[in-house]
Amino acid sequence: MTIAKVIIDIPTRQINKTFDYLVPDKFAHILESGMRVIVPFGPRKIMGFVVGQSEHTQYDIRKMKEILEVLDFVPVLTKELLELGKWLAADTLSFYITAYQAMLPQVLKAQYKKELSRQTDDSLGKELDTLFCRQGSDRI
């Protein structure tokens, strides 16, 4: 199984490194370095950049988590931009994620929002009906 090396979107010194995630079969043929992905990180889901792939990892593959979602059809960071970001972070003593995000166009720096749309008029149960108390969609 393929392992993706991911820089996650948390700019802190303790997390300024790559994390290994399993690449699910459904993403194996499309995932490339430079793409943005959604990965589980502790109790939350977070965006990250794939900076490499490998067939090997130093961690127990049975305990590794999978990439949840690929956000791009084509890489937003080219091989050259990934190398430049790595150099920039080392030269300026900044975080990898900060260097990579500085290279993105403003339109790709979207805020994380969930939008739920009700697709049926059938009863969804008490809890979900309460969530969709208004017509259309609700933002959380």
Side-chain angles (χ1 to χ4, degrees), residues 9-135:
D9 189 5
I10 299 179
T12 63
R13 188 170 54 96
Q14 298 88 352
I15 302 179
N16 194 32
K17 61 179 183 171
T18 61
F19 289 86
D20 291 353
Y21 287 91
L22 294 173
V23 178
D25 291 337
K26 64 183 177 182
F27 299 138
H29 64 286
I30 61 170
L31 190 68
E32 296 179 42
S33 293
M35 289 182 161
R36 295 173 303 152
V37 292
I38 300 294
V39 294
F41 192 76
R44 57 188 170 162
K45 298 173 187 172
I46 197 155
M47 194 271 298
F49 291 97
V50 176
V51 295
Q53 294 186 42
S54 174
E55 294 297 323
H56 307 286
T57 182
Q58 65 186 24
Y59 304 105
D60 183 357
I61 202 162
R62 294 170 293 177
K63 294 182 180 178
M64 290 179 60
K65 297 180 181 180
E66 291 187 341
I67 291 175
L68 301 174
E69 193 174 335
V70 176
L71 298 177
D72 305 307
F73 292 113
V74 295
V76 294
L77 297 174
T78 64
K79 181 181 176 185
E80 293 80 13
L81 287 176
L82 288 171
E83 291 174 12
L84 178 62
K86 198 175 199 180
W87 172 83
L88 182 63
D91 195 58
T92 61
L93 302 175
S94 62
F95 303 116
Y96 292 122
I97 193 66
T98 305
Y100 292 140
Q101 286 181 336
M103 297 177 189
L104 293 180
Q106 189 63 32
V107 71
L108 293 179
K109 298 177 187 176
Q111 296 293 321
Y112 299 108
K113 291 182 184 176
K114 290 183 183 179
E115 185 172 316
L116 303 174
S117 299
R118 187 175 185 142
Q119 300 294 315
T120 180
D121 291 330
D122 297 339
S123 177
L124 300 174
K126 193 174 199 174
E127 293 173 357
L128 290 178
D129 276 337
T130 303
L131 183 63
F132 290 104
C133 60
R134 290 177 280 162
Q135 287 266 332

